Amino acid sequence: MTDVAPSPLKLSVIGCGYLGAVHAAAMAQLGHTVVGLDVDAERIAALSKAQAPFHEPGFGALLEENVGAGRLTFTNSYDDLADVDVHFLALGTPQRDDGLAADLSYIHSALDSLTPHLQARHGKPTLVVGKSTVPVGSARALRERLEEIEGVHLVWNPEFLREGFAVEDTLRPDRLVYGVGHPVQDAEAVTVLDAVYASLIALDIPRKVYNYESAELVKVSANSFLATKISFINAISELCDITGADVNDVAEAIGMDDRIGRKFLRAGIGFGGGCLPKDLRGLISRAGELGAIDSFAFLRDIDAINTGRREYTLRLATRLLGGSVDGRRIAVLGAAFKPDTDDVRDSPALDIALRLFAEGARITITDPEALDNVRKRYPSVRTAATVEDALADAELVLLLTEWGEYKALDPTAIASQVSAPRIIDGRNVLDLGAWRDAGWEAIALGRP
Ligand code: UDX
């Protein structure tokens, strides 16, 4: 696929993580000339050779095509960002160490480095476009930092990509949202950003121009709403465990009401990743600063229900093993926070594995893509490259990330590989009847 925009622009993408690297490659795919910048020299070296530094379906091919075509280059020097039309800020805004708020220090230091390179360009506007998720009110404060420089506009253009679908979500987003500081002063900026996304707009992808505050709130509201759906069904799942109802049936039937919808109602060990948990906490924190804490107390419960799922699973495993996990051999299938990514940030799967490890269990973790990230962070945890190696002699199997290959496991074939056929399906994806027929003690969360 080669999309060529009507008038290619020169773009930079500052920050080449899961978001920025994919955005850079996707913008090159749209026909623009793109320079990706990151302070991590190793990452830049890999990207420059068209080697993907993380697992994301379709990203490797996109990178190769666009680096090969000469439209996409990478650097760690701001000196290489001369005469750029649009600078995208795609830096991480992780949770701060000292509380729930988002840490904007990467954005500030990128702007410190970028601003000396921003000059008036003979009447041509220069855009700085924030893609990172920031607390409401941030863009207006950041705008002040750029006001001195003639012809520079700040637009906030949140990204809604899902890991595992990042390429698809960037090239075919549900919507484009631009947050501007002033409808008249920033009209020219909207025209330039429309030129960046011309081939998406031509596909009738809705494009909305709001003020900064609305654009910022769209992003954190979307993620907090998704988190709320998941914790809601997980709370129902606990009642199912108590009463004998089946949470998959409840989710299926309530999801048939199109006001509710079936998506994001899969009960299990809960949500994780680099976005949902920290965006939800960031919203609680910001609401508190703005004097609206009472109306956001429920989000603390959403967060607590979610982290409570990890403890709940640990207790279930302990019960299944007769009261203690100490010294028991447990195979953990999955470490990534969801399938089709190698991202282990705030992964419920990895957290549960580490809790078992802390209680003395002899765990072996396997994952098709995330093991390098596990080993880097937790070198003392045992990992196995294959499911077969992980299962060897296990007294309990935990399915914690629903990779396709784990969903497709044949319970009869693998029953002889473990020392006791017991499994907890932490993602509600197995046919429990088939596993039980094959001789397994098979348990899922919220299912009889
Ligand atoms: C999320 C948003 O979906 C995306 O729009 C935003 O731009 C970034 O944050 P992502 O973090 O990639 O994307 O993951 P997502 O697919 O939303 O899943 C988040 C977590 O929720 C995962 O741990 C997943 O396993 C869990 N989940 C999802 C459930 O437990 N149940 C569900 O029904 C759906």
Side-chain angles (χ1 to χ4, degrees):
M1 180 186 74
T2 302
D3 296 312
V4 177
S7 50
L9 296 166
K10 183 161 179 198
L11 315 179
S12 88
V13 178
I14 301 172
C16 288
Y18 287 92
L19 161 63
V22 173
H23 189 69
M27 292 304 103
Q29 185 71 17
L30 298 183
H32 304 296
T33 303
V34 185
V35 191
L37 182 146
D38 202 288
V39 290
D40 179 338
E42 218 176 291
R43 178 166 290 247
I44 288 302
L47 287 165
S48 301
K49 286 185 263 171
Q51 290 164 359
F54 48 80
H55 176 77
E56 180 62 44
F59 173 57
L62 201 67
L63 191 61
E64 216 167 283
E65 180 178 342
N66 288 286
V67 170
R71 286 190 294 267
L72 177 60
T73 53
F74 292 93
T75 182
N76 37 41
S77 168
Y78 281 83
D79 294 336
D80 294 332
L81 304 194
D83 206 29
V84 162
D85 298 299
V86 182
H87 299 277
F88 286 101
L89 304 177
L91 301 125
T93 51
Q95 186 180 336
R96 287 172 62 117
D97 292 336
D98 60 356
L100 297 184
D103 177 357
L104 299 194
S105 60
Y106 297 116
I107 294 196
H108 283 290
S109 70
L111 281 179
D112 290 342
S113 304
L114 177 65
T115 36
H117 295 265
L118 296 174
Q119 296 128 4
R121 297 193 308 142
H122 314 295
K124 275 207 290 182
T126 304
L127 266 60
V128 175
V129 177
K131 302 235 38 110
S132 313
T133 305
V134 291
V136 58
S138 304
R140 205 161 293 279
L142 291 169
R143 182 187 178 92
E144 285 173 19
R145 296 194 48 173
L146 299 169
E147 248 159 16
E148 302 295 294
I149 316 160
E150 195 196 314
V152 174
H153 300 264
L154 178 69
V155 179
W156 218 264
N157 169 223
E159 183 58 61
F160 303 102
L161 66 79
R162 298 160 297 168
E163 287 178 30
F165 299 90
V167 171
E168 193 181 319
D169 286 350
T170 309
L171 289 172
R172 297 283 179 278
D174 296 333
R175 70 290 206 196
L176 294 163
V177 172
Y178 305 172
V180 297
H182 191 284
V184 176
Q185 288 166 14
D186 290 329
E188 194 179 26
V190 169
T191 308
V192 176
L193 202 51
D194 278 350
V196 173
Y197 294 129
S199 33
L200 305 186
I201 294 169
L203 297 172
D204 281 337
I205 288 164
R207 180 277 256 154
K208 296 287 173 194
V209 182
Y210 301 142
N211 63 20
Y212 283 146
E213 293 74 15
S214 304
E216 291 164 329
L217 268 180
V218 166
K219 177 62 196 277
V220 286
S221 308
N223 278 352
S224 297
F225 191 81
L226 293 171
T228 302
K229 273 191 102 171
I230 300 169
S231 279
F232 177 83
I233 201 67
N234 278 334
I236 297 294
S237 152
E238 279 192 43
L239 273 191
C240 291
D241 276 339
I242 296 166
T243 60
D246 186 326
V247 72
N248 281 2
D249 293 345
V250 177
E252 178 179 69
I254 65 174
M256 284 170 179
D257 180 334
D258 65 10
R259 293 170 303 174
I260 298 173
R262 177 68 178 86
K263 289 182 183 159
F264 274 68
L265 286 182
R266 196 169 31 71
I269 60 172
F271 59 80
C275 292
L276 259 52
K278 71 130 174 124
D279 288 353
L280 157 79
R281 292 172 197 153
L283 182 54
I284 298 169
S285 164
R286 189 69 182 129
E289 288 165 5
L290 295 170
I293 192 62
D294 290 348
S295 298
F296 285 84
F298 79 99
L299 281 185
R300 284 190 189 272
D301 292 335
I302 296 304
D303 194 13
I305 292 168
N306 188 56
T307 45
R309 301 303 284 169
R310 303 173 184 189
E311 193 57 35
Y312 192 87
T313 310
L314 182 73
R315 284 204 307 273
L316 187 60
T318 309
R319 210 167 64 229
L320 266 185
L321 290 173
S324 168
V325 298
D326 192 16
R328 309 299 292 274
R329 291 185 301 276
I330 300 177
V332 177
L333 307 186
F337 84 100
K338 68 175 199 181
D340 295 314
T341 178
D342 60 0
D343 195 347
V344 297
R345 284 176 295 170
D346 204 348
S347 164
L350 188 54
D351 190 16
I352 290 168
L354 294 172
R355 285 170 193 238
L356 288 163
F357 183 68
E359 299 217 348
R362 291 157 64 193
I363 59 160
T364 305
I365 308 180
T366 189
D367 188 287
E369 297 292 342
L371 288 188
D372 281 348
N373 283 336
V374 174
R375 292 189 197 109
K376 257 184 255 160
R377 289 173 169 76
Y378 306 101
S380 54
V381 167
R382 203 164 140 207
T383 56
T386 64
V387 174
E388 203 182 346
D389 287 346
L391 293 183
D393 287 331
E395 299 167 81
L396 172 65
V397 180
L398 299 185
L399 194 168
L400 299 184
T401 311
E402 70 279 27
W403 286 94
E405 63 188 81
Y406 302 158
K407 292 198 276 185
L409 284 172
D410 176 350
T412 309
I414 63 167
S416 60
Q417 295 170 18
V418 293
S419 83
R422 284 189 201 102
I423 186 163
I424 296 176
D425 173 9
R427 293 296 189 173
N428 281 337
V429 289
L430 298 181
D431 176 351
L432 294 183
W435 282 72
R436 288 172 186 156
D437 289 348
W440 287 76
E441 185 180 359
I443 296 189
L445 306 181
R447 306 196 60 204

